[in-house]
Amino acid sequence: MAEDSDLEKTEQATPKRIEKAREDGDVPRSKELATVSVLLTMLVGIWASGAQLTQALKTNMAAGLTLPRNLVFEPGLLIVNISQNLGELLWAFLPLAGLVVFIAIASPVLLGGWNVSSKALIPKFNKLNPLSGIKNLVSKNAAMEFFKAVVKATLVGSVAFFVVAAEIDDVLMLPLLPVNEALTSTAYLILVTMIAITGSLVLIAAVDVPYQLWSYANKLKMTKQDVRQESKETEGNPEIKARIRLQQREMARRRMMAEIPNADVVVTNPTHYAVAIQYKNDSMRAPVVVAKGADAIALKIREIAAEHKVSVLESPKLARALYAHTDLGDAIPEALYAAVAEVLAYVYQMRIFKKDGGLQPRQPDVLEVPDELDPHALAGASA
């Protein structure tokens, strides 16, 4: 049962899956939204330039119905005159036509955004397979498209019928009206019909856009196995990642060990913890932890310190506090300034004593370490 659930597409598409689909040219699109955008553009364009377009139509019709005497005897001039009239008419409609063409090209971007994919241009010969074609004809998507086409045709046809039926008297009167009045009435009827049809298509688009988004998201859904595989490909094989982390820890450990000879002192527990501290008066605001470790690593730190004659001071409470509250490269906590200052003062005095002799300094016995920084003290208090 678990294997069956892993093969069911129940997981939402990951960003990588969506990006791959876009690279393949697969983005959500709504034909209804594009159609409504074009129709709305035409309506706005006709409303904004209706007077100029009507005047151009009147002028062209008048010129077409006028036949000067010289054109009767010169067929060549007649063709030129017709061409000029058509050119002027096309020029008048060119801004509206250009705007409509632009919207027709740009409207698909409204859903899914702009997407250019060369992969979509690569021919796919499996689309020529008749069996694939038959499967597409009986698919759920084909059934939905057929249903939308039926609803759209029924809705648009019904709206157009009711609009014309409501204006039937004016339609029947058109042949009896003067030319100017008939043109105005015809333009009005066309505009009203377009507005009604566009309104019905807006309703269809309002339903189609959410459906297309849902269908696209549903199509890109992934199985749990797909998600795991993608995660493995993206983040790498867990075994390889573990090996890389191990190598990184080993490299960091080697770098840490290389810093021990530069330390001023190593504070120990004496066996469980070891913390190496370095302080440069001219470049450091406070002493810095350059190495730390527990158990086997602590032993290795002490060995390297002894090999390079780095001072080692036994202070269990201070060692535990430094180990628990600092990372490599961190300055020591302010609460430990006084204790570390005593340790460094002792180390510097020992260097002078070993070099010049004199009175041997006394090793600090009790260092001021707040109990709240000592893990053992906190564990004892909680117990």
Side-chain angles (χ1 to χ4, degrees), residues 32-216:
E32 314 308 328
L33 181 61
T35 302
V36 168
S37 300
V38 172
L39 288 176
L40 287 175
T41 302
M42 290 179 62
L43 285 175
V44 174
I46 291 173
W47 174 79
S49 59
Q52 293 86 341
L53 296 179
T54 302
Q55 185 59 43
L57 285 171
K58 289 180 179 179
T59 302
N60 190 266
M61 183 176 289
L65 296 175
T66 303
L67 190 62
R69 180 182 178 83
N70 62 324
L71 297 182
V72 177
F73 300 101
E74 293 290 341
L77 293 177
L78 180 62
I79 295 174
V80 172
N81 185 62
I82 294 173
S83 300
Q84 289 177 347
N85 291 337
L86 288 175
E88 292 173 359
L89 187 63
L90 291 175
W91 184 257
F93 276 86
L94 184 61
L96 177 60
L99 181 61
V100 170
V101 170
F102 171 76
I103 295 298
I105 296 174
S107 57
V109 181
L110 295 176
L111 186 65
W114 182 263
N115 187 54
V116 179
S117 174
S118 58
K119 292 183 179 181
L121 302 177
I122 300 175
K124 297 180 180 179
F125 296 102
N126 60 340
K127 291 185 177 181
L128 300 178
N129 188 342
L131 294 177
S132 299
I134 294 173
K135 288 181 181 179
N136 291 333
L137 288 175
V138 297
S139 64
K140 182 171 66 175
N141 184 59
M144 186 61 188
E145 292 298 325
F146 176 75
F147 175 74
K148 286 196 304 180
V150 172
V151 172
K152 183 164 64 173
T154 303
L155 185 59
V156 171
S158 300
V159 169
F161 173 78
F162 285 115
V163 171
V164 174
E167 304 290 341
I168 190 63
D169 293 337
D170 293 337
V171 174
L172 295 176
M173 288 294 295
L174 286 178
L176 306 177
L177 297 176
V179 174
N180 289 340
E181 192 175 341
L183 286 175
T184 302
S185 183
T186 301
Y188 170 77
L189 289 172
I190 293 174
L191 186 60
V192 169
T193 304
M194 284 187 62
I195 291 174
I197 291 175
T198 303
S200 64
L201 291 177
V202 167
L203 294 177
I204 295 176
V207 175
D208 185 61
V209 169
Y211 168 76
Q212 293 298 338
L213 292 174
W214 172 84
S215 177
Y216 181 76

Side-chain angles (χ1 to χ4, degrees), residues 283-346:
S283 60
M284 293 182 180
R285 183 182 63 84
V288 173
V289 173
V290 295
K292 72 172 191 173
D295 300 327
I297 298 178
L299 177 61
K300 186 66 176 178
I301 291 174
R302 292 195 300 273
E303 290 176 355
I304 296 176
E307 181 182 347
H308 291 86
K309 296 181 172 56
V310 176
S311 299
V312 178
L313 179 68
E314 184 179 318
S315 178
K317 195 171 183 180
L318 179 59
R320 291 193 299 264
L322 289 170
Y323 184 86
H325 298 284
T326 59
D327 288 323
L328 293 179
D330 286 353
I332 65 172
E334 291 185 10
L336 298 177
Y337 278 6
V340 173
E342 285 190 56
V343 171
L344 291 176
Y346 168 73

